[in-house]
Amino acid sequence: MKRRPTARELGGAHAIILHRNHPTVSALSRQLIAIGLTVSTHWPVLDAGALGADFVFFDADMGHDEQFPWETGKSPMPLIALIGSEAPGRVEWALAAGADAQLLKPIGDNGVYSALLIARATYNAAKASAAEVQSLKLRLNERQSVVRAVNYLMNTEGDEDAAYDRLRRMAMDWRISFEEAAQRVIAKGGQDGKRGHRT
């Protein structure tokens, strides 16, 4: 079971509120400070200094992509949408912007704590999934490299088993991984074409 963030871990975190001057900002700031976060407010855009924040609350009603100093949907911290209008276009924009949680406006006396925890957990889960997908893609590319290298070596080794053995010996002789050896063979194969030169 994965460890969940606690209230103590939220203490000292920095939250940015990207929202025009409004009672929403005051109500949200009060809750954040009570939880132990430091708060700064910005409008109409975030500057590069915002990249160091731990959380960003943003106005989904008046927000737009150009407000953020990162590529759409690729925030470096959890985002929490402040939603007053549930118009489908606004909700879709908030999701596309990368909202990890949401709070409905007007902001009352509660809801911020759970939004922080949900946003952090959702953000961390999405990052972990993205890293796993990237790792799987890398492994798939490495396997494809091995297949290509073995196919190339079959020109000189005669059959698949002998080609695998040859590739394994190369990796051992060169003191590199099996996959790195495959990459070298592919590079050599690209230079030699299909002449079947022994690597």
Side-chain angles (χ1 to χ4, degrees):
M1 183 171 162
K2 293 184 179 177
R3 191 176 66 81
R4 292 180 172 84
T6 64
R8 181 175 296 176
E9 292 171 338
L10 294 175
H14 179 219
I16 289 177
I17 303 172
L18 180 61
H19 197 289
R20 66 199 182 284
N21 189 20
H22 189 272
T24 291
V25 175
S26 300
L28 180 54
S29 295
R30 277 195 305 273
Q31 287 192 60
L32 290 168
I33 291 167
I35 294 167
L37 282 76
T38 60
V39 179
S40 60
T41 59
H42 296 260
W43 190 259
V45 297
L46 293 177
D47 58 28
L51 297 174
D54 298 295
F55 297 91
V56 170
F57 291 79
F58 67 95
D59 184 7
D61 301 326
M62 298 182 69
H64 53 88
D65 294 341
E66 293 74 24
Q67 290 183 295
F68 304 108
W70 53 75
E71 188 178 335
T72 301
K74 296 187 178 179
S75 68
M77 76 287 289
L79 300 181
I80 301 170
L82 301 170
I83 299 175
S85 167
E86 294 186 283
R90 289 282 81 197
V91 174
E92 288 170 12
W93 177 81
L95 290 171
D100 299 295
Q102 54 102 25
L103 281 170
L104 294 179
K105 297 189 283 184
I107 304 295
D109 293 330
N110 51 43
V112 173
Y113 175 71
S114 59
L116 288 166
L117 294 183
I118 290 168
R120 180 180 280 176
T122 302
Y123 179 83
N124 289 344
K127 288 295 180 190
S129 294
E132 185 175 352
V133 167
Q134 187 61 35
S135 175
L136 290 171
K137 285 181 179 178
L138 181 61
R139 287 169 52 193
L140 179 59
N141 287 339
E142 289 173 345
R143 288 182 182 172
Q144 290 172 340
S145 296
V146 169
V147 170
R148 288 177 58 201
V150 167
N151 284 337
Y152 175 72
L153 291 173
M154 283 173 60
N155 290 324
T156 57
E157 301 302 323
D159 66 31
E160 189 175 332
D161 290 339
Y164 269 110
D165 288 341
R166 174 76 175 142
L167 184 59
R168 187 170 41 258
R169 287 194 308 273
M170 288 176 176
M172 291 172 62
D173 290 346
W174 294 335
R175 297 175 191 261
I176 60 176
S177 72
F178 197 62
E179 293 78 10
E180 289 173 311
Q183 289 290 344
R184 284 193 188 179
V185 169
I186 291 167
K188 179 76 170 166
Q191 295 167 7
D192 290 348
K194 294 293 186 178
R195 292 182 292 172
H197 287 199
R198 192 176 288 267
T199 306

